[in-house]
Every structure is written in C-alpha cells, then in structure tokens.
Amino acid sequence: MAEEIRAEEFSDYLTVVASDFESKSLRPVIDECVPILRQSVRDNFTSSASPDNVGWVPRKKIGDGHPLLVESGDLMQAAVGTGSGSVSEADDRSVTIGVKGDVIRYAAIHNFGGVTRPMPQREFMGAKEERLVECADIMAEYIVVNFF
C-alpha cells in the first residue's frame, strides 16, 4: 500500500517545521557540543596545528623545553575552558568560546599573527572538521527527534 503526498502538502509541512525550528531552543545541542569544541581546541595545542591541520611555524629558538604556546600553560587552559580568562557564552541559538584578551593579553597575536610586531600566526582557536561533523550529527539527530 502506498500513500500519495502532493507537493503542496509537503511544502506546507516543511513550512510548519521550519517555523517550529526557528522558535525552539537549540540549547541542548549547544550544551552537548561545547565540550566537543573545547576538545578540538585542545587537539590543536596537542598537535601544534591549526584547526585545518596546518602545522604551526616552529620557534626560532630551539630547545627551550616546552611545546609551542605552552610556556606557562595559561593560554592553553583558558582556550580549553579550564583556566582564568576563558570565555564560554551560550544562549538558545549560539555559543561563543574563546580567551579574554584582557586576561591573556598575548592570545590574539598568537592566534592571528602580528603585523606591527611581527609574529607568525599559530591559530589555536577553532574546531577541526571532524569535530564539526560530530556536532552536525548531534544537531541532525536533535532535529529528527524533535521536529519530525
């Protein structure tokens, strides 16, 4: 037995679903994804590479005993959400994670590189593709369970 659905009916249904989606909180998904995103930042420090797996420029002085960007550990701890200067703000539709520039003053120049004060970019903030896919899968499951 087959059921026929007309294009207009399906279109109307999708309009209702889209409207429902716009009005609902995505906070459960956001809360589930924050630790995944933070782990991705930790992965960047561990691999000494940017979110898109480009290796960080090595330091000029070799052999000072600590990995890149981890002299005191303050920057990494703030970036992964466990230290002073960590930013983690979420609402029903978005999340912001990062490092407070007034607490870890050198965070931006390391992440973006320097022009006035030449310094190579060693991007540490951002999620690797596989972590973004993980969050997208969580979002897709949430949508299927809650909207269809």
Side-chain angles (χ1 to χ4, degrees):
M1 179 174 190
E3 185 176 332
E4 183 178 310
I5 299 175
R6 293 187 2 240
E8 296 84 23
E9 292 172 340
F10 187 65
S11 177
D12 291 345
Y13 174 71
L14 288 179
T15 300
V16 169
V17 169
S19 176
D20 195 28
F21 180 77
E22 286 178 11
S23 67
K24 288 219 176 163
S25 171
L26 301 177
R27 190 63 187 253
V29 174
I30 289 169
D31 289 345
E32 195 171 341
C33 284
V34 166
I36 294 166
L37 299 173
R38 290 285 190 190
Q39 181 58 49
S40 191
V41 173
R42 183 179 297 281
D43 295 344
N44 298 338
F45 278 94
T46 302
S47 65
S48 296
S50 68
D52 48 352
N53 294 315
V54 174
W56 292 342
V57 176
R59 67 172 58 90
K60 290 179 184 177
K61 202 189 296 184
I62 295 177
D64 62 359
H66 59 82
L68 281 169
L69 304 187
V70 190
E71 185 170 354
S72 69
D74 292 346
L75 175 62
M76 184 177 76
Q77 294 306 312
V80 301
T82 59
S84 178
S86 175
V87 172
S88 188
E89 299 168 1
D91 60 29
D92 288 346
R93 305 294 287 185
S94 66
V95 64
T96 301
I97 62 171
V99 177
K100 292 179 183 174
D102 62 333
V103 177
I104 309 289
R105 295 190 179 276
Y106 49 88
I109 197 164
H110 282 300
N111 193 63
F112 301 111
V115 177
T116 14
R117 180 177 168 213
M119 181 171 295
Q121 178 182 20
R122 295 183 177 109
E123 184 181 5
F124 56 89
M125 287 306 303
K128 295 191 181 298
E129 182 68 24
E130 58 269 18
R131 300 290 186 180
L132 293 174
V133 168
E134 195 175 340
C135 286
D137 290 345
I138 292 167
M139 175 69 79
E141 182 179 338
Y142 180 80
I143 290 169
V144 168
V145 168
N146 290 283
F147 296 95
F148 292 99

